């Protein structure tokens, strides 16, 4: 097929994405369609698909969708995140976002001038009709030669394709939603010989009819249109974006055209010579311990044994890193000051492990969720004769947590406990009680940022070998909070489970801090 010279492509998130502007893509459409008109051979139409976070994530989970996308002649960056990914992970950044909702208007104007014919396939009957009416009102000289709603049986597809071709269609807009529209377009490409383009367009009709409002320009430019859509349709779109955005960002980091090889050097946080060495690697700008859960537990035991043998106690503060914490570190100066003084930071969030594996260099061995780690520590402490002190939570939760730990680990020594509700002028009394109990490990469950600030402020007065912050860990041991299913934990989706079980308290936190943390991880790679 004779057509305009094609711009180059760059691989972003596993898709070879065209490096074109909206105007250039519209010009390509016109050239391709006129070239088809000029030949009697009825070539295959070009399949023109879009790339966004949902599609990138879906391709990683569904081989059949990845195969359909591989058949596309052109893939353009529908999502701003794809443009940003090209800038972070490749040496050939995309010039701009080509959102289908914007590109349709570029294409319509170009089609008006060139005399091309559109056919609109998809949506509800009333929505499809209203969209065509809106198109004709906006572009009076544009020829819409046919339309059909998206509710039809598979056996009707041949007749629909014949109608599309018979009407002299140049560009077929397929609005069946991902992944159906890509499957349908790839499957019926042969039956659509003689038209120029098959362009998938998702929810375009909703925008044309005004059912779905566009995000403000600043949100689009910032790559936050997905958040605007979630706010308007939280029940339908919230779970989708919560599940697909992290996966898409990982796949962009992992499957994009490589820049100069990135190597994350081993970091050495300032260490007292008497402590067991724990190497760290920088992820999202924060040094994270590369150790496994078992290695952390063994380091805890070794440090506590040494403190007992020598009588020299140097408290070692152990903080967790997850999306909430990384975001908070950027927005709360007092938290950042405390956080950066931690002696050990472990990967409580699974996405940090994923990002440590995105490029060359040292990797974090595994996720060390504090809710798992307390059990690892308890088993080792039971065998070594070490003791715990539990500080934090409500009185009922704290007391029940101690009882359950004693039930799970009969030989584990609980040196003392204290709920987390105390005033500033009571802090000295709290510290004195901990020191009097002489624990080996102090678990501080006061919640972010209070637990980190308290630990740093009090560590010079505490005579405890290890101080471990643990957030809501006590609530998990008592059963007040439920863990996510194992498959969600392995897929780094435990936060989705938490947001689903406590939406009023946690949904907004995750919708705001998770994208921020992922952006931090992406922007600080290498």
């Amino acid at each position: 097929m004779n057509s305009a010279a094609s711009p180059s492509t760059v691989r972003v998130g596993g898709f070879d994405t065209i490096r074109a502007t909206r105007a250039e893509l519209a010009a390509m459409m016109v050239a391709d369609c006129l070239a088809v008109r000029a030949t009697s051979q009825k070539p295959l139409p070009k399949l023109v698909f879009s790339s966004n976070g949902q599609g990138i994530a879906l391709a990683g989970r569904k081989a059949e969708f990845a195969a359909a996308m591989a058949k596309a002649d052109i893939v353009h960056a529908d999502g701003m995140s794809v443009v940003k990914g090209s800038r972070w992970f490749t040496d050939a950044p995309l010039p701009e976002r080509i959102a289908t909702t914007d590109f349709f208007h570029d294409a319509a104007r170009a089609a008006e001038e060139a005399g091309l014919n559109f056919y609109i396939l998809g949506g509800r009957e009333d929505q499809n009709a209203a969209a065509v009416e809106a198109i004709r009102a906006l572009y009076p000289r544009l020829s819409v030669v046919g339309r059909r709603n998206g509710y039809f049986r598979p056996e009707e597809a041949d007749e629909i394709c014949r109608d599309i071709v018979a009407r002299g269609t140049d560009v077929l807009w397929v609005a069946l939603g991902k992944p159906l529209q890509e499957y349908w377009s790839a499957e019926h490409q042969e039956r659509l010989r003689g038209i120029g383009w098959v362009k998938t367009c998702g929810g375009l009709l909703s925008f044309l009819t005004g059912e779905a409002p566009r995000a403000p320009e600043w949100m689009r430019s910032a790559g936050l249109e997905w958040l605007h859509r979630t706010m308007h349709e939280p029940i339908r779109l919230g779970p989708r974006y919560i599940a697909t955005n992290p996966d898409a960002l990982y796949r962009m980091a992992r499957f994009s055209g490589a820049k100069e090889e990135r190597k994350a050097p081993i970091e050495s946080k300032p260490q007292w010579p008497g402590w067991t060495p724990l190497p760290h690697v920088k992820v999202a700008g924060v040094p994270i311990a590369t150790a496994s859960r078992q290695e952390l537990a063994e380091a805890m035991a070794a440090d506590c044994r040494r403190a007992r043998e020598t009588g020299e106690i140097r408290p070692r503060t152990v903080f967790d890193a997850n999306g909430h914490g990384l975001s908070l570190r950027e927005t709360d100066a007092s938290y950042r000051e405390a956080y950066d003084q931690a002696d050990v930071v472990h990967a409580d969030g699974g996405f940090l492990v994923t990002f440590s594996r995105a490029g060359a260099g040292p990797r974090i061995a595994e996720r060390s969720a504090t809710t798992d780690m307390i059990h690892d520590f308890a088993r080792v402490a039971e065998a070594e004769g070490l003791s715990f002190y539990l500080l934090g939570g409500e009185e009922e939760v704290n007391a029940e947590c101690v009882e359950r730990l004693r039930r799970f680990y009969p030989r584990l020594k609980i040196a003392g406990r204290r709920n987390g509700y105390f005033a500033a002028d009571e802090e000295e009394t709290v510290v004195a009680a901990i020191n009097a109990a002489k624990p080996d490990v102090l678990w501080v469950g006061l919640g972010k940022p209070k637990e980190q600030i308290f630990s740093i402020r009090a560590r010079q007065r505490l005579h405890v070998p290890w101080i471990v912050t643990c957030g809501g860990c006590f609530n998990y041991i008592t059963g007040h909070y439920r863990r996510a299913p194992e498959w969600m934990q392995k897929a780094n989706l435990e936060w989705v489970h938490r947001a689903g079980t406590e939406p009023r308290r946690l949904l907004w936190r995750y919708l705001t801090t998770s994208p921020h943390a992922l952006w931090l991880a992406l922007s600080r790679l290498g």
Side-chain angles (χ1 to χ4, degrees):
M1 181 191 302
N2 295 321
S3 63
S6 298
S8 62
T9 62
V10 61
R11 197 164 187 80
V12 185
F15 298 148
D16 292 327
T17 308
I18 193 165
R19 298 184 64 238
T21 64
R22 284 163 40 189
E24 288 170 340
L25 191 60
M28 288 178 64
M29 176 197 72
V30 170
D32 289 340
C33 292
L34 293 180
V36 170
R37 284 188 178 186
T39 180
S40 60
Q41 297 177 356
K42 291 194 174 182
L44 287 172
K46 281 192 174 181
L47 301 181
V48 183
F49 296 166
S50 60
S51 173
N52 56 22
Q54 181 198 5
I56 289 173
L58 195 59
R61 299 174 186 179
K62 289 184 176 291
E64 59 269 35
F65 181 72
M69 289 294 294
K71 294 179 180 179
D73 297 283
I74 297 172
V75 176
H76 66 87
D78 182 83
M80 190 64 191
S81 61
V82 181
V83 179
K84 291 181 181 291
S86 74
R87 295 170 183 170
W88 291 329
F89 304 119
T90 82
D91 290 318
L94 299 169
E96 67 177 343
R97 178 190 181 196
I98 306 179
T100 305
T101 41
D102 295 320
F103 174 69
F104 177 83
H105 298 284
D106 302 319
R109 286 187 289 270
E112 265 191 323
E113 295 300 319
L116 301 184
N117 301 325
F118 282 4
Y119 190 111
I120 311 299
L121 174 65
R124 305 184 312 272
E125 174 59 25
D126 64 315
Q127 183 185 58
N128 186 287
V132 169
E133 184 178 344
I135 293 167
R136 287 172 171 155
L138 288 168
Y139 307 103
R141 294 184 295 114
L142 176 63
S143 174
V144 179
V145 294
R147 68 172 191 85
R148 175 67 162 81
N149 67 58
Y151 294 85
F152 52 85
R153 297 186 303 277
E155 56 267 27
E156 297 179 89
D158 282 349
E159 181 184 345
I160 292 170
C161 289
R162 284 194 296 271
D163 181 62
I164 292 167
V165 174
R167 289 175 181 270
T169 302
D170 294 300
V171 181
L172 169 63
W173 296 86
V174 184
L176 301 178
K178 277 184 167 53
L180 182 59
Q181 61 192 15
E182 286 77 19
Y183 294 158
W184 191 91
S185 299
E187 180 183 352
H188 296 94
Q189 184 183 23
E190 178 68 33
R191 296 179 180 88
L192 293 167
R193 282 182 176 273
I195 72 173
W197 270 26
V198 177
K199 174 70 185 85
T200 57
C201 57
L204 171 67
L205 306 190
S206 297
F207 291 103
L208 287 172
T209 61
E211 293 177 35
R214 287 300 299 275
E217 182 61 36
W218 72 267
M219 293 190 81
R220 288 185 249 168
S221 299
L224 293 175
E225 189 159 17
W226 66 271
L227 183 57
H228 181 269
R229 294 195 65 194
T230 301
M231 292 165 65
H232 282 271
E233 297 185 78
I235 295 176
R236 184 173 75 88
L237 296 179
R240 175 204 291 181
Y241 289 126
I242 287 173
T244 61
N245 281 3
D247 196 6
L249 287 167
Y250 161 67
R251 289 185 63 78
M252 281 193 283
R254 183 70 179 84
F255 301 111
S256 295
K259 282 189 174 180
E260 184 178 340
E261 186 178 81
R262 300 177 181 84
K263 291 193 176 179
I266 286 285
E267 293 280 329
S268 295
K269 288 179 80 61
Q271 300 286 306
W272 181 52
W275 289 335
T276 304
L278 286 172
H280 286 59
V281 63
K282 189 166 278 190
V283 182
V286 176
I288 312 287
T290 60
S292 67
R293 283 163 41 190
Q294 186 60 31
E295 288 169 339
L296 287 167
E298 289 171 358
M300 175 274 297
D303 289 352
C304 292
R305 280 198 308 270
R306 186 187 186 284
R308 285 189 172 190
E309 291 166 1
T310 64
E312 186 177 9
I313 297 175
R314 182 75 66 91
R316 194 173 196 180
T317 49
V318 182
F319 295 171
D320 65 276
N322 56 26
H324 178 212
L326 291 180
S327 179
L328 192 62
R329 180 177 174 271
E330 294 297 310
T331 57
D332 187 321
S334 58
Y335 177 77
R336 182 188 183 109
E337 182 180 2
Y339 193 83
D340 288 351
Q341 294 182 60
D343 301 304
V344 178
V345 176
H346 65 93
D348 182 82
F351 83 99
L352 294 166
V353 180
T354 298
F355 272 93
S356 79
R357 297 173 180 175
R363 298 179 174 187
I364 300 170
E366 63 179 334
R367 179 190 180 200
S368 49
T370 312
T371 41
D372 295 318
M373 208 165 73
I374 193 169
H375 293 284
D376 302 324
F377 281 30
R379 283 188 287 270
V380 172
E382 192 180 36
E384 296 276 349
L386 303 177
S387 62
F388 286 178
Y389 191 108
L390 273 58
L391 174 66
E394 297 175 354
E395 175 61 24
E396 178 186 354
V397 170
N398 187 286
E400 186 179 350
C401 182
V402 168
E403 290 306 311
R404 292 208 176 201
L405 284 174
R406 283 174 172 156
R407 195 184 316 155
F408 298 153
Y409 309 102
R411 294 181 294 114
L412 175 64
K413 298 176 183 178
I414 305 294
R417 68 170 193 84
R418 179 37 162 112
N419 68 56
Y421 293 85
F422 54 88
D425 58 6
E426 296 178 276
E427 187 171 293
E428 283 300 329
T429 303
V430 171
V431 169
I434 295 168
N435 288 336
K438 298 182 179 179
D440 296 293
V441 181
L442 169 63
W443 295 90
V444 184
L446 304 177
K448 289 181 174 68
K450 186 177 179 181
E451 61 191 20
Q452 286 76 19
I453 295 171
F454 168 84
S455 297
I456 294 301
R457 186 173 62 234
R459 68 176 170 180
Q460 298 302 324
R461 294 169 286 153
L462 285 165
H463 308 307
V464 183
W466 269 45
I467 302 170
V468 186
T469 58
C470 60
C473 182
F474 303 157
N475 291 279
Y476 284 101
I477 292 173
T478 62
H480 287 78
Y481 295 167
R482 289 177 295 155
R483 290 298 300 272
E486 185 68 24
W487 71 267
M488 293 189 82
Q489 295 180 43
K490 290 181 178 178
N492 297 340
L493 293 175
E494 188 160 18
W495 61 286
V496 178
H497 180 270
R498 289 202 67 196
T501 54
E502 295 186 78
R504 290 187 178 181
R505 187 172 72 90
L506 296 177
L507 181 59
W508 182 249
R509 175 204 290 183
Y510 288 128
L511 284 176
T512 53
T513 63
S514 293
H516 186 206
L518 288 164
W519 179 81
L520 292 170
L522 285 164
S523 62
R524 293 172 182 177
L525 275 173

